[in-house]
Amino acid sequence: MKLHLALGFLLVVLFNQNLLTVHVEAGDDFVRTRRVHFFLNGSPYFANGFNAYWLMYVASDPSQRPKVSAAFREAAAHGLTVARTWAFSDGGYRPLQYAPGSYNEQMFKGLDFVIAEARKYRIKLILSLANNYESFGGKKQYVNWARSQGQYLTSDDDFFRNPVVKGYYKNHVKTVLNRYNSFTGMHYKDDPTIMAWELMNEPRCTSDPSGKTIQAWIMEMASHVKSIDRNHLLEAGLEGFYGQSAPQKKRLNPSLDIGTDFIANNQIPGIDFATVHSYPDQWLSSSSEQYQLSFLNNWLDAHIRDARIALRKPILLAEFGKSWKDPGFNTYQRDQLFNIVYNKIYWSAKTGGPASGGLFWQLLAQGMESFRDGYEIILSERSSTANVIAQQSHKLDQIRKIFTRRRNVQRWKRARAKRRGGWHGRNRGGHIGN
């Protein structure tokens, strides 16, 4: 109880300092940003959620849709509010887009179902529009399509440079955003179930470590998305690696030079919030568990600070996790990593900072053995990690409730003052009349 009261007092102080008392569009169910915060219908919005890249793919087979429903049902029961998933599958087996501009209606109906089902469970979606990697086609498939049309391309990174390839991508964006949902009767660009679009899952351009290629591509594509859809938020899909705009911070990167720039890329006006991913068990696989956790602490602190000071935008930890395939793995290690991530988000959120949520990788339902990658969480298995996840949902919801109560008190006081003003005015009018 003392902790709850102290938290309430701290939040009131912060709100009075105008960290969160800002006027935002209310009542339309779209998630908005204002300064370093997300808002939903006038209240702060915190995104405790998960990744489930497989949702559209599984839902394209009507007999498998109960798995999607079960995942959303379990997620909602644990207080999760956001899911990040793929709105792409280019070429290959059971694609969404089987050739540039040509689409598989059955796969699109799978995505329609995912959006409708998320809405049913009051879960917002972040939909990613392309992949950096070869799985589900990725930039390699786009480049191969252009090659088959006579374009001379020497690298998969030509995805970011070639006008024909960029035209294919822009057409895909336009097609997805203008899609009419066969379940909801609503165009995707008008559906508040969608929290945000993501330009690409983990864009990388190793052929240009200066970062100029990715910077130009994000600027062009952010402008394209916003020309079609002004309702939704947009993020780039970045992992968070520092680049040339902050050379002194490149020492914080794991030893990867991939042509992105956390600061410059997220300063682009059309990008509404920043993202960061964190996989110390992959990036620092030869290092000790303790060193990996130390890296995680520093990595998160730096990005949360930069979101507040340099970007002045919210930040979402859009991917994190720990694999049971790691040598010497035990569940305590995974819980420890989740707790570090969640505590960073919680302390930032409760002190008016920009960290607004985390999405673990990845959520599965029962009976999905072929999708297991080592990082999966099956909430119905009731692991200790599932409890850690549910506790974080509860803590962030407490912050939201305290703000909402305070906002309602303010509204009541304003309404009472108005009524009193009206009563005094009528009284004075009566005396004058006499």
Side-chain angles (χ1 to χ4, degrees), residues 373-406:
D373 62 358
Y375 290 89
E376 74 277 354
I377 303 287
I378 299 173
L379 293 170
S380 59
E381 290 180 351
R382 302 181 186 278
S383 67
S384 56
T385 311
N387 292 333
V388 171
I389 292 165
Q391 286 165 13
Q392 176 75 352
S393 297
H394 176 72
K395 286 161 71 176
L396 292 178
D397 196 47
Q398 288 302 110
I399 299 176
R400 183 193 61 79
K401 284 178 177 174
I402 289 168
F403 173 85
T404 303
R405 280 198 295 269
R406 181 174 179 273

Side-chain angles (χ1 to χ4, degrees), residues 35-309:
R35 300 181 190 142
V36 298
H37 304 111
F38 291 119
F39 284 86
L40 176 62
N41 298 333
S43 292
Y45 184 73
F46 301 108
N48 199 36
F50 59 95
N51 285 272
Y53 74 88
W54 48 268
L55 291 170
M56 175 182 70
Y57 179 84
V58 170
S60 68
D61 178 351
S63 71
Q64 296 300 304
R65 286 177 184 167
K67 290 186 173 70
V68 173
S69 303
F72 282 140
R73 185 168 57 251
E74 290 286 342
H78 285 74
L80 299 176
T81 56
V82 177
R84 175 173 171 262
T85 193
W86 298 168
F88 62 79
S89 179
D90 303 305
Y93 177 66
R94 286 173 60 190
L96 172 63
Q97 184 177 202
Y98 58 85
S102 298
Y103 288 85
N104 174 356
E105 180 62 17
Q106 190 61 31
M107 190 62 71
F108 241 143
K109 283 182 177 174
L111 188 54
D112 291 348
F113 177 82
V114 168
I115 295 170
E117 202 70 357
R119 184 182 187 182
K120 177 178 166 184
Y121 288 99
R122 303 179 66 82
I123 289 173
K124 299 286 186 185
L125 296 172
I126 296 174
L127 297 181
S128 189
L129 295 163
N131 202 6
N132 180 73
Y133 311 107
E134 287 184 36
S135 57
F136 295 93
K139 65 185 181 186
K140 186 182 187 71
Q141 179 63 73
Y142 276 91
V143 168
N144 285 340
W145 279 333
R147 281 196 185 111
S148 71
Q149 296 301 309
Q151 295 291 304
Y152 178 70
L153 304 175
T154 59
S155 164
D156 290 347
D157 286 349
D158 287 329
F159 174 90
F160 301 108
R161 292 182 282 254
N162 179 266
V164 172
V165 177
K166 289 195 288 184
Y168 293 160
Y169 173 82
K170 285 181 176 179
N171 183 70
H172 176 64
V173 169
K174 185 178 178 182
T175 302
V176 172
L177 272 55
N178 285 312
R179 167 73 178 180
Y180 178 81
N181 191 317
S182 57
F183 289 88
T184 66
M186 196 181 299
H187 291 96
Y188 286 10
K189 66 182 180 182
D190 298 322
D191 192 341
T193 304
I194 298 165
M195 173 183 170
W197 303 108
E198 177 177 280
L199 291 179
M200 186 179 215
N201 173 49
E202 300 189 341
R204 294 182 172 190
C205 185
T206 53
S207 62
D208 181 10
S210 76
K212 290 177 182 176
T213 298
I214 290 269
Q215 182 77 358
W217 184 83
I218 293 174
M219 287 181 72
E220 182 178 351
M221 298 312 167
S223 177
H224 178 63
V225 170
K226 293 294 186 177
S227 74
I228 301 169
D229 180 1
R230 289 274 173 185
N231 287 325
H232 290 103
L233 302 177
L234 177 66
E235 48 100 350
L238 297 167
E239 297 160 273
F241 300 118
Y242 288 100
Q244 298 300 331
S245 67
Q248 74 283 5
K249 294 194 172 177
K250 291 179 77 172
R251 60 179 176 77
L252 290 166
N253 293 343
S255 53
L256 292 166
D257 205 357
I258 59 163
T260 60
D261 188 321
F262 176 74
I263 302 292
N265 297 160
N266 283 306
Q267 283 176 330
I268 292 169
I271 299 301
D272 296 299
F273 63 96
T275 59
V276 60
H277 298 183
S278 191
Y279 290 106
D281 64 340
Q282 287 184 25
W283 297 346
L284 305 164
S285 57
S286 59
S287 299
S288 69
E289 181 77 13
Q290 214 48 48
Y291 185 83
Q292 291 178 15
L293 294 180
S294 175
F295 166 85
L296 178 64
N297 270 295
N298 294 333
W299 183 249
L300 297 180
D301 286 343
H303 287 81
I304 293 169
R305 184 169 56 249
D306 286 331
R308 178 173 58 87
I309 296 170

